[in-house]
Amino acid sequence: MKWQKDMAQLFANTADGVWVSGPEGEIFFWNEAAENILGYSAAEVAGRPCREIFCGRDGSGNRICSWPCPIKGQLREGEAVQHFDMMTRTKAGETVWLDVSCISFPSNDGRIPTVVHLFRDVTAARQIGALVRKQLSQGEPAGLGDSAEGLSDKLTQRELEVIGLMRTGATTADIADRLSISRATVRNHVQNIFSKLKVHSRLEAVAYANRLIPQEAAAGA
């Protein structure tokens, strides 16, 4: 179908995962980035209700993915849907957090709209944020200095995403591709992180973050 080819071309080079769901929630389109993030191929999800693939929940464990779809309901009524975080699992069973945005294509007959969903993996940023909040709620841990306060109060959400990817060994080019931003923007974020955390290298910045995220905490988040 022509629209599928157009969609594939439009989202071919984006690092964001993209899926398109029809009026009944059936998946029409699934891009390569979605495959990379969640592990499902386009052939595995085609025609299936997206609620079966994602089984999404919010931070309190409440179901986001259900039928009737609350997101489609809002869009059908002409309400704007702000981007939101959703917990799901990969094909391999790993828990991941996604930041999801929606673009609606309303039907002329008032039916439930077709929706383009864009999503990115924000698991690392949420792990850092959760650990920082826990550390602060328990008081400043020994040997940590002002690091907990520094991360929670000084780094933006985007900077948390960048330092989270830095912890995985991602290069400037990797981070730019993953976050769909320019390499110059990545370098600016990195320099801001250095300045805010009072460090002078990526190694120091990663070590700083690692002191807040023990391996066992990151694995269980």
Side-chain angles (χ1 to χ4, degrees):
M1 296 175 66
K2 185 179 183 302
W3 73 267
Q4 289 177 316
K5 293 180 181 179
D6 292 342
M7 194 74 67
Q9 278 190 326
L10 181 62
F11 295 114
N13 297 317
T14 179
D16 283 348
V18 178
W19 92 89
V20 180
S21 61
E24 302 300 320
E26 66 277 26
I27 295 175
F28 287 158
F29 175 81
W30 186 264
N31 75 343
E32 184 177 349
E35 294 185 11
N36 294 336
I37 294 171
L38 292 177
Y40 294 99
S41 69
E44 289 177 300
V45 303
R48 295 177 60 184
C50 55
R51 57 189 177 276
E52 291 183 3
I53 301 299
F54 289 91
C55 302
R57 295 184 180 273
D58 64 19
S60 300
N62 301 310
R63 290 182 61 188
I64 295 175
C65 294
S66 60
W67 193 257
C69 174
I71 301 301
K72 285 184 179 292
Q74 282 184 256
L75 293 171
R76 184 181 185 182
E77 297 300 321
E79 297 181 35
V81 175
Q82 301 297 323
H83 71 92
F84 58 91
D85 284 0
M86 176 175 73
M87 181 178 68
T88 185
R89 292 187 181 274
T90 67
K91 181 181 177 180
E94 298 176 354
T95 299
V96 292
W97 279 93
L98 307 176
D99 178 90
V100 183
S101 300
C102 303
I103 304 172
S104 174
F105 292 90
S107 63
N108 294 326
D109 57 7
R111 297 178 64 209
I112 298 173
T114 295
V115 181
V116 177
H117 309 261
L118 298 94
F119 64 94
R120 61 184 54 186
D121 185 345
V122 293
T123 308
R126 288 190 66 97
Q127 287 173 349
I128 291 175
L131 263 294
V132 167
R133 289 190 295 272
K134 181 177 179 181
Q135 300 273 4
L136 291 174
S137 69
Q138 296 175 347
E140 191 171 79
L144 196 59
D146 67 347
S147 56
E149 181 179 357
L151 279 182
S152 63
D153 291 348
K154 295 179 181 178
L155 296 190
T156 65
Q157 178 71 20
R158 178 63 91 190
E159 288 162 357
L160 288 172
E161 292 175 358
V162 170
I163 199 170
L165 290 170
M166 287 165 57
R167 292 182 66 243
T168 70
T171 65
T172 296
D174 294 333
I175 296 171
D177 289 342
R178 187 68 178 269
L179 300 180
S180 298
I181 56 180
S182 71
R183 297 183 186 187
T185 300
V186 174
R187 287 190 284 270
N188 287 338
H189 285 312
V190 171
Q191 289 303 316
N192 287 339
I193 290 170
F194 289 174
S195 176
K196 292 176 180 181
L197 301 187
K198 296 181 175 61
V199 298
H200 302 92
S201 69
R202 290 191 178 211
L203 184 61
E204 290 181 10
V206 168
Y208 194 109
N210 284 344
R211 295 196 339 238
L212 292 178
I213 308 179
Q215 292 299 317
E216 61 271 16

